[in-house]
Amino acid sequence: MSGHSKWATTKHKKAVIDARRAKSFAKLIKNIEVAARLGGADLGGNPTLYDAVQKAKKTSVPNDNIERAIKRGAGLTGDSVEYTNIMYEAYGPQGVALLVECLTDNRNRAAAEVREALKKNNGTLADPGSVAYNFARKGVIRVSAAGTSEEAVLSAVLEAGAEDVDNHGEQFEIITDPSDMVVVREALQAAGIDYESADSEFVPNLEVPVDAETARKVFRLIEALEDSDDVQNVYANFDLSPEVLAELEND
């Protein structure tokens, strides 16, 4: 589990300020629109849309907003927006590798905001391919450890095609090939195990341990990038030891 994922899990316990919540809602809605545009409005026949909707619901996005996003994305309202997916490669403090995934209706604005966030937070753009090689696209399913056991999760997913199950204490992280994610997610559901999220993500092949001060700088950079409405996800290859994570949680 990358340092960023660990920190996101920790932050999830904290109170979410209104501005962050609004931005999160907007990005989840955008994911729903794109999924509906690519695969249609039927959740039963569009697993990408199903997972996008489930994630939005688990984040308390109102049902009316979700329904409007599905219709808008599927072109049923006449006011759909075309989004472009752009991936920027960058380096953060101490050479931490970053992939910045954007979904935007304005390429120039997205590029300017990414560059500005990097410039102000000790980051630099990288040459195409110099960072991406260190990441692989994977299906990532997260399950709360509350109310279930590692044995139950393993029993449900291994025969369905899961590549790995990582126990992170309060959460299990299931890694799959992207093409197997839906089958594994359905295996969990068939076993009566609820899941927190199921996403296609970029997972680092090699993680770099960082100290607390470097981690703080990386977090500031990631938060500045995520503050852009055009940035959907930031993936990083740093790792936090239990000792560093404990120090950060006391900040």
Side-chain angles (χ1 to χ4, degrees), residues 15 30 33 69 72 78 98 101 125 139 159 170 184 193 231 233:
K30 194 182 292 186
E33 291 178 359
R72 189 163 53 245
L98 302 169
E101 187 174 27
L125 280 175
E159 290 190 7
E170 295 184 359
V184 174
I193 299 173
V231 173
N233 298 291

Side-chain angles (χ1 to χ4, degrees), residues 27 30 101-106 109-111 113 228-232:
K27 293 179 183 185
K30 194 182 292 186
E101 187 174 27
C102 295
L103 198 57
T104 180
D105 59 352
N106 187 321
R109 180 187 65 223
E113 292 184 355
S228 168
D229 291 338
D230 290 322
V231 173
Q232 288 293 103

